Amino acid sequence: MRNRNEIIAYLNNFLNISEFKDYGPQGMQVEGKENVKNIITGVSACVALFEEAAKLHADMIIVHHGILWDHDKHVLKGGFKNRVKILLENDMTLLAYHLPLDKHAELGNNAVAAKQ
């Protein structure tokens, strides 16, 4: 089991999030439980991913496309409300790394595609 904030600090540093001006916050978008045992990853922060993560008793979800974007209205309704509700009811932390994952020298889309 690891501390949520230690995981976040490691990922924020590893992915160099301070180098990016993105369309939404990078790193933690929703705070969940402090101690993390089970981490789930996915591409986009959608209801299906969150429901599956809850079934698997995830403490943290790491995605490429988060739920907070500068161009969205931040009103809790519809699909946005449903996603936030699942996270809060299950005390899961949501981390999102958009451009940092795109550009990363080891894990980025271009780096992985080039290796293939």
Side-chain angles (χ1 to χ4, degrees):
M1 192 171 305
R2 299 298 296 232
N3 178 274
R4 173 196 64 229
N5 295 335
E6 290 175 3
I7 295 168
I8 294 168
Y10 172 80
L11 289 172
N12 290 353
N13 181 59
F14 181 71
L15 295 170
N16 300 310
I17 67 167
S18 62
E19 293 182 15
F20 299 92
K21 172 82 173 100
D22 207 340
Y23 298 107
Q26 301 303 294
M28 186 167 63
Q29 293 192 347
V30 176
E31 181 183 72
K33 60 188 68 146
E34 187 175 341
N35 293 310
V36 176
K37 184 176 179 183
N38 191 11
I39 300 172
I40 302 294
T41 61
V43 175
S44 295
C46 63
V47 168
L49 173 63
F50 293 176
E51 288 175 340
E52 190 63 25
K55 287 179 193 173
L56 296 170
H57 306 288
D59 304 308
M60 179 178 281
I61 303 170
I62 303 171
V63 295
H64 181 62
H65 301 123
I67 60 172
L68 300 176
W69 300 94
D70 292 342
H71 62 313
D72 289 339
K73 294 179 183 174
H74 295 269
V75 176
L76 291 170
K77 66 180 190 175
F80 181 53
K81 178 187 118 183
N82 292 336
R83 289 178 288 185
V84 171
K85 182 180 178 186
I86 294 166
L87 292 169
L88 295 177
E89 285 178 343
N90 292 281
D91 205 13
M92 294 185 290
T93 296
L94 175 65
L95 305 181
Y97 297 99
H98 184 234
L99 294 181
L101 277 175
D102 281 337
K103 189 176 179 182
H104 195 271
E106 294 172 60
L107 303 176
N109 296 333
N110 292 332
V112 173
K115 289 177 186 174
Q116 295 301 316

